[in-house]
């Protein structure tokens, strides 16, 4: 009987945590590091995005903000059951969808205003952001196959790194053409990425909530 109970308990743990995540304190520590890094990058990119007039930097900034919120939510629900974690993932998905819509709106607005952003600022901050995201992605890599929450954290970070490379390419484009179009194009692509990632996390979370 005792053996059966133990087996059930073990299975229950396995359902909640991905392979090798018996060391939850390690995951928690990684999330805290990620939270701080993302919050700092949000402030930096928001300021430089507004100052340089770059929509793709602003897109990236809101992305960092969304991630910082993600890590905060993930930390809050880490020890809770599957249902709560799935609800948290749905909240995150909603924030990603909102972010995508906001950036698209801002890009349309910027397109009507004219004037090119500062390419050098975009390039430097984009490179900094890439370094920050690669560091976080490297830390999170071990947990990429977890539940909707862990998966959304990993997906966000991966998308961010792709976004940072795109911002740097946009900076080159702005520098070369002297127009805002490369910046706006990248902002639109990043918005689309956020919308598709949000939809995918929402689907998985709803599935997990239905099963919980």
């Amino acid at each position: 009987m005792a053996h059966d109970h133990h087996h059930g308990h073990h299975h229950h743990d396995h359902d909640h945590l991905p392979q090798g995540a018996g060391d939850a304190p390690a995951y928690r520590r990684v999330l805290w590091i990620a939270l701080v890094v993302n919050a700092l990058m949000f402030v930096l990119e928001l300021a430089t995005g507004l100052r340089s007039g770059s929509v793709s930097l602003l897109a990236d900034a809101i992305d960092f903000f969304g991630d910082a919120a993600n890590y905060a939510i993930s930390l809050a629900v880490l020890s809770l059951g599957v249902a709560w974690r799935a609800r948290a993932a749905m909240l995150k998905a909603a924030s990603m969808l909102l972010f995508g819509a906001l950036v698209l709106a801002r890009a349309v607005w910027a397109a009507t205003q004219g004037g090119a952003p500062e390419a050098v600022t975009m390039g430097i901050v984009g490179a900094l952001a890439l370094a920050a995201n690669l560091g976080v992605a490297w830390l999170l890599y071990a947990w990429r196959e977890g539940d909707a929450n862990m998966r959304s954290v990993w997906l966000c970070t991966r998308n961010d790194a792709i976004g940072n490379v795109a911002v740097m390419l946009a900076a080159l484009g702005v520098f070369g053409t002297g127009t805002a179009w490369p910046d706006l194009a990248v902002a639109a692509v990043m918005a689309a990425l956020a919308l598709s990632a949000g939809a995918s996390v929402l689907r998985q979370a709803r599935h997990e909530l239905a099963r919980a």
Side-chain angles (χ1 to χ4, degrees):
M1 182 68 204
H3 175 76
D4 262 334
H5 173 77
H6 177 76
H7 177 78
H9 182 72
H10 177 77
H11 178 73
H12 171 84
D13 277 358
H14 182 74
D15 270 354
H16 281 60
L17 294 165
Q19 309 81 348
D23 48 345
Y27 185 59
R28 198 175 286 272
R29 200 163 47 242
V30 166
L31 282 181
W32 272 111
I33 295 169
L35 173 62
V36 172
V37 168
N38 278 272
L40 290 173
M41 286 308 304
F42 162 65
V43 174
L44 177 71
E45 283 200 323
L46 185 66
T48 50
L50 289 170
R51 216 193 66 218
S52 66
S54 163
V55 184
S56 60
L57 269 186
L58 280 181
D60 217 32
I62 301 175
D63 212 6
F64 271 120
F65 172 75
D67 285 357
N70 272 352
Y71 297 129
I73 294 170
S74 292
L75 278 163
V77 298
L78 204 54
S79 55
L80 299 176
V82 167
W84 275 108
R85 297 225 298 277
R87 284 186 197 108
M90 285 172 89
L91 182 66
K92 290 193 254 185
S95 73
M96 288 161 85
L97 293 169
L98 179 69
F99 148 71
L102 282 173
V103 171
L104 279 179
R106 170 78 196 201
V108 170
W109 179 83
T112 62
Q113 299 302 303
E118 286 171 33
V120 176
T121 306
M122 285 174 66
I124 292 170
V125 178
L128 255 178
L130 178 64
N133 272 320
L134 286 178
V136 172
W138 181 73
L139 287 173
L140 287 168
Y141 188 74
W143 287 280
R144 70 195 179 286
E145 297 296 337
D147 61 16
N149 246 315
M150 289 177 166
R151 194 173 151 69
S152 74
V153 163
W154 158 250
L155 276 177
C156 282
T157 309
R158 189 201 62 186
N159 283 356
D160 287 358
I162 297 169
N164 305 142
V165 172
V167 168
M168 291 158 69
L169 291 175
L172 274 177
V174 170
F175 190 72
T177 63
T179 68
W181 289 109
D183 182 47
L184 299 179
V186 164
V189 168
M190 288 169 73
L193 260 179
L195 291 171
S196 78
S200 130
V201 171
L202 190 60
R203 268 197 309 275
Q204 186 179 348
R206 283 171 65 175
H207 179 66
E208 282 178 15
L209 197 54
R211 276 204 331 239

